Amino acid sequence: HRDLHSFPTRRSSDLIYSLTGGINVGGAINVPNCNVISNQNINGGGSITAAAIGAHGASRVAADPAAIDGTLLASDPLSNLPAMVDPGTPCNALNTINYKAAQNKLGAKTLTPGKYCGISFSNGYNQQVTFTPGNYYITNGLSIQSSGNVTGNGVFFYVRSGAISFSNQQRIRFTAPTAGNYAGVLFFQPTVNNSGATINGSTGNGGSRMQGALYFPNATLTMAGAGNNAAYMILVAGTLNLNTNISFASNYSSLTNGYSPVRTSTLIQ
């Protein structure tokens, strides 16, 4: 096997990283300042342009630079993140959100940080949905299938149980917090939750954006959209399906001291 070393750094590279499964590439991945690493194989009909590309097994995609096969297994680059503590609020009608077309008459919906026992906006609801800044603790999943706009600046989602699913009908623009325990982290799904996540979003009105780390260490993350327009992204999951074009510039200037939430960068050689 080729060596794959990790070393402490104050300003880390972005990562696209599969921990236990492979990376399946269906789009054009253009991340010149980012390391793309798989602890299994890299397959698909797409392409990757990155700072470095490595697979513990084999890479069978068009790659620039050429991928290195047979790298040593790499450790989880976000394992330092602390689990969010359950706020303890019992489930009730106030913190279980299930909006359907019938709720259009109620107008736009604004959600505030706290515990939610499921958040669902079904197809047919076409109002503005706003998540105000802060931390959201979610059980029973997060599903947004509506049209319209979904926004959240300075938001962090800890999904304790249930799946995450966004359709391509809504323009969704999320940015992670810039300070605190979860600075630079948008989604964190703990290892006890192995439900898959599907990220999508419309391309109209400037397109959709997911700015921050998407961390699904024991689940499959499928990127079907929302892979552009962000200053930075970090994708870490058990298995990664990259079924859309992804491009970002690795600019952490909005975060405290310009630090990435990844505290080690990876050298592939």
Side-chain angles (χ1 to χ4, degrees), residues 110-116 130-136:
T110 298
L111 302 182
T112 57
K115 180 177 179 178
Y116 288 87
T130 302
F131 291 84
T132 57
N135 298 341
Y136 293 77

Side-chain angles (χ1 to χ4, degrees), residues 36 207 223 233:
V36 178
M223 294 293 298
M233 293 181 76

Side-chain angles (χ1 to χ4, degrees), residues 50-71:
I53 305 162
H56 178 65
S59 177
R60 303 179 182 91
V61 298
D64 182 17
I68 296 175
D69 294 342
T71 58

Side-chain angles (χ1 to χ4, degrees), residues 37-62:
I37 302 165
S38 173
N39 275 342
Q40 292 296 330
N41 299 318
I42 304 177
N43 294 307
S47 63
I48 303 174
T49 300
I53 305 162
H56 178 65
S59 177
R60 303 179 182 91
V61 298

Side-chain angles (χ1 to χ4, degrees), residues 35-178:
N35 293 331
V36 178
I37 302 165
S38 173
N39 275 342
Q40 292 296 330
N41 299 318
I42 304 177
N43 294 307
S47 63
I48 303 174
T49 300
I53 305 162
H56 178 65
S59 177
R60 303 179 182 91
V61 298
D64 182 17
I68 296 175
D69 294 342
T71 58
L72 295 178
L73 291 172
S75 59
D76 183 345
L78 291 174
S79 60
N80 60 297
L81 290 176
M84 185 175 174
V85 176
D86 187 337
T89 308
C91 294
N92 54 52
L94 295 178
N95 64 7
T96 303
I97 306 299
N98 186 11
Y99 266 43
K100 302 178 181 179
Q103 272 76 38
N104 275 314
K105 64 180 182 295
L106 301 178
K109 182 67 175 177
T110 298
L111 302 182
T112 57
K115 180 177 179 178
Y116 288 87
C117 301
I119 297 177
S120 174
F121 289 90
S122 301
N123 189 14
Y125 181 78
N126 60 6
Q127 299 288 343
Q128 171 80 25
V129 178
T130 302
F131 291 84
T132 57
N135 298 341
Y136 293 77
Y137 186 103
I138 299 173
T139 62
N140 301 322
L142 169 62
S143 176
I144 301 181
Q145 309 299 317
S146 61
S147 57
N149 294 315
V150 181
T151 59
N153 293 317
V155 293
F156 166 73
F157 299 95
Y158 185 87
V159 185
R160 174 62 175 75
S161 60
I164 294 176
S165 178
F166 297 105
S167 78
N168 64 356
Q169 298 181 64
Q170 72 283 326
R171 176 179 175 266
I172 182 163
R173 296 179 75 86
F174 283 152
T175 61
T178 59

